[in-house]
């Protein structure tokens, strides 16, 4: 079996006005992603996804061209089962053979960002192909699953203090969730406003629902500390991305000075970045995004790091169907995983482009049983929402 074709598209699906929300990313009117189709010479098709924005907005033209004009042609004719070696070859570039023989990485200068986003899309699609070719779900190829389903948390929460309780309760009513996450940080005018919203949410939900907060990396270290002090009595499950991901020393400083667990990682690419977080004792929960961190291959390596440092894993899954399903398989197979992110904002990139129904029941998400990633792509929908480049 050889790779015959590689084709990426920028998919942009409008979000109906009534379901649009506003955060520090602005008002999100579309859901965008780079969706990748890889086909083998015997007709097996794998689907992948790469991301260079918040998963809900952004320009994907450069990433799509990188996949179609650079990385895609490099893997034509290769055995799709050589997943790890394809990953390393794309990461190391012209020195891939030297790196392979030397036993250590020799990456190109542009080794993060769009480069790893493109590798992520390819990697996810190759795992999909391998599972379909073997007639097994990807989690089986990763070593098996530790359960048939896992607790999920409802991810959303942008409402004002007077409405946040109602918004989060609607999530609980919809899927039986016992854990929810709300947004804080630069979307509010000050840490004080965010704290008021969190206090209102905790009062409305009571003590038995886990409540997490996500600042999208928009606080300074001082601002994150100030906010955390204000909500110290709210029993938060975690404080996500308190400061910019590039300030790992700052994240470590926040973790050392507050009592709430720190979660981070959606803006990090490769195991090397997560190694630095672990060594600095900067996080309690790793949140790699399979469509940005390096795909399923790298997410599993990151999960191993989490396990080695006695940390936990909860992939960032505000994404399209290929990334979301990739995250499910990682959660199924990783010893460090404990909870699944489930978007309760408008997310047509999960629900509209595949034939299967994705839902939470009793606050739990079932792991797929079908071969590969476990979904059937609706290519007519992709065609309808493809942005011409």
């Amino acid at each position: 079996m050889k790779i015959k074709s590689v084709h990426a598209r920028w998919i942009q699906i409008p979000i109906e006005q009534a379901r649009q929300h506003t955060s520090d990313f602005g008002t999100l009117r579309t859901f965008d992603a780079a969706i990748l189709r890889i086909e083998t010479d015997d007709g097996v098709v794998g689907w992948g996804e790469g991301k260079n924005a918040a998963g809900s907005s952004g320009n994907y033209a450069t990433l799509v061209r990188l996949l179609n004009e650079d990385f895609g042609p490099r893997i034509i004719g290769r055995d799709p089962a050589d997943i790890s070696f394809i990953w390393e070859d794309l990461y190391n570039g012209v020195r891939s053979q030297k790196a392979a023989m030397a036993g250590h990485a020799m990456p190109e200068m542009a080794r993060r960002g769009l480069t790893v986003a493109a590798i992520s899309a390819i990697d996810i699609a190759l795992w999909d192909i391998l599972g379909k070719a073997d007639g097994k779900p990807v989690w089986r190829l990763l070593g098996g699953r530790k359960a048939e389903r896992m607790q999920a948390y409802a991810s959303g929460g942008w409402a004002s203090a007077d409405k946040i309780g109602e918004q989060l309760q609607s999530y609980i009513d919809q899927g039986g969730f016992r854990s929810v996450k709300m947004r804080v940080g630069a979307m509010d005018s000050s840490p004080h406003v965010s704290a008021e919203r969190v206090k209102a949410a905790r009062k409305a939900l009571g003590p038995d629902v886990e409540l997490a907060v996500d600042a999208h990396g928009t606080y300074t270290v001082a601002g994150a500390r100030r906010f955390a002090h204000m909500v110290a009595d709210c029993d938060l499950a975690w404080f996500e991305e308190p400061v910019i991901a590039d300030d790992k020393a700052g994240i470590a400083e926040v973790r050392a000075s507050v009592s709430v667990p720190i979660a981070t990682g959606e803006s990090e690419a490769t195991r090397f970045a997560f190694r630095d977080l672990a060594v600095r004792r900067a996080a309690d929960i790793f949140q790699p995004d399979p469509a940005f961190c390096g795909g399923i291959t790298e997410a599993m390596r990151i999960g191993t790091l989490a396990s080695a440092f006695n940390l936990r894993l909860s992939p960032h899954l505000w994404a399209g169907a290929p990334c979301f399903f990739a995250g499910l398989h990682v959660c199924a197979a990783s010893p460090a995983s404990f909870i699944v992110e489930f978007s309760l904002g408008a997310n047509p990139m999960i629900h509209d482009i595949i034939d299967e129904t994705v839902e939470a029941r009793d606050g739990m998400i079932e792991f797929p049983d079908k071969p590969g990633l476990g979904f059937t792509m609706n290519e007519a929908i992709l065609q309808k929402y493809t942005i011409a480049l």
Side-chain angles (χ1 to χ4, degrees):
M1 186 167 61
K2 303 295 181 183
I3 296 172
K4 183 179 74 172
S5 64
V6 180
H7 182 220
R9 287 180 279 189
W10 176 3
I11 308 300
Q12 182 181 83
I13 304 179
I15 298 173
E16 57 183 298
Q17 187 170 1
R19 299 200 66 201
Q20 294 174 7
H21 69 265
T22 300
S23 72
D24 49 284
F25 294 109
T27 299
L28 300 180
R29 297 178 173 84
T30 64
F31 206 112
D32 298 63
I35 302 296
L36 178 68
R37 183 185 191 273
I38 297 180
E39 185 173 357
T40 68
D41 55 4
D42 57 0
V44 180
V45 174
W47 295 97
E49 178 180 351
K51 141 187 332 182
N52 59 243
S56 306
S57 61
N59 188 308
Y60 280 81
T62 302
L63 178 54
V64 167
R65 289 194 174 98
L66 180 62
L67 282 162
N68 288 334
E69 299 173 17
D70 187 351
F71 281 18
R74 293 194 211 178
I75 65 172
I76 298 295
R78 294 198 61 168
D79 184 341
D82 288 340
I83 299 175
S84 293
F85 300 108
I86 288 174
W87 198 105
E88 297 295 333
D89 287 351
L90 294 175
Y91 184 66
N92 288 301
V94 295
R95 295 182 296 191
S96 60
Q97 289 300 316
K98 289 184 175 65
M101 294 302 102
H104 63 88
M106 301 180 187
E108 295 183 317
M109 291 180 67
R111 65 192 182 281
R112 304 283 177 91
L114 291 182
T115 295
V116 177
I119 294 173
S120 300
I122 291 170
D123 184 84
I124 292 169
L126 294 181
W127 279 107
D128 193 24
I129 287 173
L130 186 59
K132 288 173 178 174
D134 285 359
K136 299 174 183 175
V138 168
W139 54 257
R140 178 71 69 190
L141 306 178
L142 296 173
R145 63 180 177 184
K146 59 185 178 183
E148 293 184 356
R149 59 181 191 159
M150 180 171 285
Q151 182 183 351
Y153 70 90
S155 183
W158 306 272
S160 57
D162 60 330
K163 296 180 180 179
I164 188 66
E166 178 183 351
Q167 185 178 57
L168 296 178
Q169 185 61 50
S170 72
Y171 301 165
I172 295 170
D173 295 340
Q174 178 176 329
F177 296 96
R178 300 184 298 278
S179 182
V180 297
K181 185 174 78 178
M182 61 181 286
R183 269 60 182 181
V184 297
M187 62 172 286
D188 297 321
S189 57
S190 72
H192 181 75
V193 173
S194 287
E196 287 182 348
R197 293 176 55 245
V198 173
K199 288 177 180 291
R202 174 53 78 199
K203 182 178 180 181
L205 297 177
D208 296 330
V209 175
E210 286 196 325
L211 175 63
V213 297
D214 183 356
H216 290 159
T218 57
Y219 283 129
T220 61
V221 170
R225 285 170 163 175
R226 181 183 173 199
F227 166 77
H229 176 73
M230 291 178 185
V231 297
D233 61 346
C234 290
D235 188 27
L236 295 180
W238 68 77
F239 184 4
E240 183 171 329
E241 279 202 312
V243 300
I244 181 175
D246 289 343
D247 186 9
K248 291 181 175 57
I251 298 173
E253 189 176 347
V254 172
R255 181 176 182 254
S257 61
V258 303
S259 59
V260 60
I262 299 299
T264 194
E266 70 179 73
S267 301
E268 303 286 7
T270 78
R271 60 195 180 274
F272 303 110
F274 285 87
R275 173 206 60 196
D276 293 345
L277 288 170
V279 169
R280 287 179 177 270
R281 301 291 181 181
D284 299 279
I285 300 165
F286 282 173
Q287 298 176 305
D289 188 306
F292 182 73
C293 76
I296 292 172
T297 297
E298 202 70 352
M300 288 298 295
R301 292 167 173 166
I302 292 163
T304 300
L305 272 172
S307 179
F309 280 84
N310 200 27
L311 306 175
R312 295 191 292 172
L313 181 76
S314 178
H316 177 254
L317 299 180
W318 194 277
C323 177
F324 180 78
F325 276 74
L328 290 183
H329 290 278
V330 170
C331 284
S334 174
S337 67
F338 73 108
I339 199 166
V340 176
E341 180 175 23
F342 190 74
S343 166
L344 264 291
N347 193 337
M349 201 66 73
I350 287 180
H351 301 290
D352 295 1
I353 68 173
I354 62 174
D355 293 343
E356 289 74 16
T357 299
V358 180
E359 61 184 348
R361 296 179 181 175
D362 301 321
M364 307 286 281
I365 296 285
E366 293 185 1
F367 294 129
D369 265 329
K370 297 179 180 178
L373 291 175
F375 63 81
T376 305
M377 185 67 76
N378 188 325
E379 296 197 55
I381 295 295
L382 293 186
Q383 185 61 37
K384 178 179 179 181
Y385 292 111
T386 296
I387 298 294
L389 298 178

